[in-house]
Amino acid sequence: MEQRLFQIVLTTCPDEACAERIARTLVEEGLAACVSILPPMRSIYKWEGKIETASEQLLVIKSATARFPAIRDRLRALHPYELPEIIAVPIADGLPEYLAWLNHPE
């Protein structure tokens, strides 16, 4: 299987302030080239035996795959949730110039 060099990492945040803080930190620390904050959405999930409903904002974090361990660790440290959603999805293909920028966002 071909090694994927780039990824999208998804995480949800409870509010705009949290989303902004995490997004800025990841970009400032060079862990992500870009973080998109999507508008509020409604999540329905089961937690500790109960059905929960929450308003959340989704972060779409674009980065090199090699940075995932550092992104995961930083998200765990910054995130207010006891068990944050941290999911990495490989980027199969893309505009070569954009993918090069993901690796060196200067």
Side-chain angles (χ1 to χ4, degrees):
M1 176 180 250
E2 179 184 330
Q3 173 69 25
R4 302 293 182 199
L5 299 177
F6 305 100
Q7 67 187 353
I8 293 172
V9 179
L10 304 173
T11 194
T12 52
C13 294
D15 55 47
E16 186 177 349
C18 175
E20 176 88 17
R21 180 176 52 83
I22 289 174
R24 283 194 175 279
T25 299
L26 294 177
V27 172
E28 287 171 355
E29 293 180 0
L31 297 174
C34 175
V35 179
S36 300
I37 302 172
L38 277 61
M41 61 183 185
R42 184 162 285 319
S43 295
I44 299 171
Y45 55 95
K46 192 176 238 182
W47 180 250
E48 297 181 345
K50 294 179 4 188
I51 300 295
E52 302 284 346
T53 302
S55 178
E56 296 182 300
Q57 292 193 263
L58 179 66
L59 297 186
V60 180
I61 303 159
K62 282 81 75 169
S63 185
T65 303
R67 293 190 187 107
F68 179 73
I71 291 170
R72 180 196 56 223
D73 293 346
R74 199 66 178 112
L75 285 172
R76 292 284 293 187
L78 294 168
H79 214 287
Y81 289 168
E82 178 182 344
L83 180 61
E85 171 184 3
I86 303 173
I87 298 171
V89 180
I91 295 174
D93 205 351
L95 181 67
E97 296 86 355
Y98 183 81
L99 297 178
W101 173 77
L102 283 182
N103 209 27
H104 303 286
E106 301 300 325

